[in-house]
Amino acid sequence: MDTIQSPATQSFATGPARAHLRRLAAGTLMPGFTGIAVPVWILDAYDAGLAAVCLYGTNVASPVQLRELCAGLRAHSPNTLIAVDEEGGDVTRLHYLTGSTQPGNAVLGRLDDVELTAASASAIGYELAGLGINLNLAPDADVNSAPDNPVIGVRSFGAEPDLVARHTAAWIRGLEDAGVASCAKHFPGHGDTTADSHLALPRVTADAATLDVRELVPFRALVAAGGATVMTSHILVEALDPDHPATFSSSILQDLLRRDMGFEGVIITDALDMAGASAETGVPEAAVRALVAGADLLCLGSETGPALFEQTLNAIADAVEEGRLPLERLADAAARTAALSSRFPAAGAAEIQEAAIRGQLGLQTGQPQPSGTIAGAKELDGERIAEAFEVSDAAEKWLARQEPVAIVQVETGANFAVGHVPWGPASTTQAVVGEGEVPDGARVAVVGRGLDAEHPLWTVFARLRAEGHAVIAVECGWPRGGADIVTYGASLTVSRALTSLLLDGTVKA
């Protein structure tokens, strides 16, 4: 007996129609890949309509290699979006091997100088543009209202909504003035969570009124600033949609973000390989659900591979043929993504050379300039960075003592967003010693991050104090109580300022 096809199935039964669907689907996807060279399957995917790729720390072996990798991608697909997660501070991909030359959001928020924030973003933007990268998955616009948040913390500008909003807008301005698209994240706000969406599905239980005056304030600033893109979060916000995580919620993405808030840019998903998105369904089904909800560009994750990419293409095409995903929705997502690459085209050879020179300014920041050199830029030196530190009275007394200094850094695993980036004094100096190597009579700074009550630093701290040393505890993350010095970050530049303070009692300009 002949199979009777539905009208939707009949429309796409032929080979050319299916190929068209797959090409539209490819125009909404942003895979990652393993290795430090462009794999053949990525080049084949470009030929089939791939919209973007995302680079991760594991794709970086050296500055020269990274430049060659980006050049290879651009040579094959000049108009593609090349994305990276370069927040500055603890989350860095360009400086994955050494640590970022920018202080990060929490330090910038504490300094509360919006022009300094714009200039820090501008320096990052010119560095990216110098590599041909035209989409940066930053800034983090979350209000870090939960001090024990395991995944946001110092990635946030702070715990006060208006402060986060003005620095989010400044960061977007600085980055996009450099010719790189921004991506404010993680909508509608990941700051009030105590679970990591890489590992589980976090829940936000705040009521709608609280969300309106806290979580949504920075994202309204994004819309007002004309930011190019926004990233969804894999969190369940009960007051907005009790049944669907934000990435899969049309109520959150289409009704709230598009209709009520007036966002007209591209909606990008957080990585769909995260447990909060796909632990129960798998990545291909998560991709379909995200498109149905209103997402435009789907970040597939750092180790996509050709098999998963092919499965995702087919899942999207199948969903259209089955009537689950309207063709118009898929076409709209692909068109929005294509328009983004047109709005932020890769720089030409001369522009890349100029941007590369400007990106090499590293710590130099100040009023961003639209072209030429950064005239009159002020240096964001260690002395200025240290103004963001919290230093207790006990630490002030410790710094004034005259005994030799020993620094003990207690290794602390970072969350998935940070990865394995060098951090703290150990990334800047050979003066860091092990607990058993502390000389008699030395005063000791014990350094860690995420210092909750169960952190192993406290065992080291107590043992050294019992041995008669003058000891202080240093927190290189978001404060959780008990530390004598809090740096609000652990990037290379912040760690240099901290090391100088500990060893010299002051920070030189």
Side-chain angles (χ1 to χ4, degrees), residues 265-301:
V266 172
I267 299 175
I268 303 177
T269 70
D270 207 345
L272 293 178
D273 64 347
M274 295 164 61
S278 60
E280 296 183 1
T281 67
V283 170
E285 173 62 17
V288 172
R289 293 173 63 200
L291 284 167
V292 170
D296 304 308
L297 180 58
L298 313 181
C299 180
L300 299 183

Side-chain angles (χ1 to χ4, degrees), residues 210-234:
T210 299
L211 296 171
D212 187 62
V213 299
R214 188 177 65 190
E215 272 74 12
L216 297 182
V217 173
F219 293 101
R220 292 195 190 95
L222 148 76
V223 175
T229 79
V230 67
M231 178 177 284
T232 68
S233 58
H234 309 321

Side-chain angles (χ1 to χ4, degrees), residues 53-56 60 66-67 69-71 73-74 80-86 93-94 124-137 175 178-181 344-347 352 355:
V53 295
C54 187
L55 303 180
Y56 295 84
V60 180
L66 179 59
R67 188 176 298 278
L69 175 65
C70 293
L73 290 167
R74 282 269 165 248
T80 189
L81 289 165
I82 300 179
V84 72
D85 201 350
E86 188 62 34
R93 302 297 180 250
L94 299 188
I124 291 172
Y126 285 115
E127 189 173 20
L128 295 172
L131 292 165
I133 295 170
N134 55 347
L135 172 58
N136 188 10
L137 305 180
L175 183 74
V180 176
F344 292 92
I352 284 179

Side-chain angles (χ1 to χ4, degrees), residues 362-413:
L363 294 180
Q364 283 194 328
T365 57
Q367 181 66 34
Q369 305 294 318
S371 62
T373 60
I374 301 182
K378 55 186 176 180
E379 186 179 351
L380 182 59
D381 55 31
E383 187 175 27
R384 185 74 195 279
I385 289 170
E387 292 176 13
F389 295 177
E390 284 184 5
V391 182
S392 69
D393 290 342
E396 292 281 9
K397 293 175 181 177
W398 185 94
L399 292 169
R401 296 174 68 120
Q402 298 302 309
E403 298 98 329
V405 174
I407 302 173
V408 176
Q409 182 165 315
V410 179
E411 281 305 315
T412 308

Side-chain angles (χ1 to χ4, degrees), residues 240-477:
L240 300 180
D241 188 333
D243 301 317
H244 304 96
T247 298
F248 311 119
S249 171
S250 60
S251 297
I252 292 175
L253 300 188
Q254 297 191 50
D255 297 344
L256 175 61
L257 182 59
R258 288 258 187 245
R259 184 192 66 198
D260 298 344
M261 297 177 66
F263 180 69
E264 297 181 352
V266 172
I267 299 175
I268 303 177
T269 70
D270 207 345
L272 293 178
D273 64 347
M274 295 164 61
S278 60
E280 296 183 1
T281 67
V283 170
E285 173 62 17
V288 172
R289 293 173 63 200
L291 284 167
V292 170
D296 304 308
L297 180 58
L298 313 181
C299 180
L300 299 183
S302 61
E303 299 180 356
T304 304
L308 180 57
F309 182 76
E310 184 70 15
Q311 291 164 12
T312 304
L313 283 182
N314 286 329
I316 294 171
D318 289 346
V320 176
E321 292 179 349
E322 294 163 1
R324 294 178 56 209
L325 171 62
L327 176 60
E328 296 78 8
R329 170 80 274 273
L330 177 61
D332 175 65
R336 287 179 182 275
T337 298
L340 178 65
S341 63
S342 297
R343 179 181 169 189
F344 292 92
E351 294 169 310
I352 284 179
Q353 183 177 9
E354 178 186 345
I357 293 171
R358 297 178 63 166
Q360 289 170 2
L361 290 170
L363 294 180
Q364 283 194 328
T365 57
Q367 181 66 34
Q369 305 294 318
S371 62
T373 60
I374 301 182
K378 55 186 176 180
E379 186 179 351
L380 182 59
D381 55 31
E383 187 175 27
R384 185 74 195 279
I385 289 170
E387 292 176 13
F389 295 177
E390 284 184 5
V391 182
S392 69
D393 290 342
E396 292 281 9
K397 293 175 181 177
W398 185 94
L399 292 169
R401 296 174 68 120
Q402 298 302 309
E403 298 98 329
V405 174
I407 302 173
V408 176
Q409 182 165 315
V410 179
E411 281 305 315
T412 308
N415 59 55
F416 280 91
V418 174
H420 302 288
V421 178
W423 67 279
S427 68
T428 71
T429 178
Q430 301 298 315
V432 176
V433 299
E435 178 190 352
E437 304 171 65
V438 175
D440 292 340
R443 53 192 164 118
V444 189
V446 187
V447 181
R449 56 183 175 180
L451 303 185
D452 57 24
E454 305 302 319
H455 197 284
L457 175 142
W458 299 115
T459 301
V460 177
F461 181 93
R463 186 177 297 126
L464 289 169
R465 175 165 284 182
E467 293 174 359
H469 296 283
V471 188
I472 57 170
V474 181
E475 167 69 85
C476 286

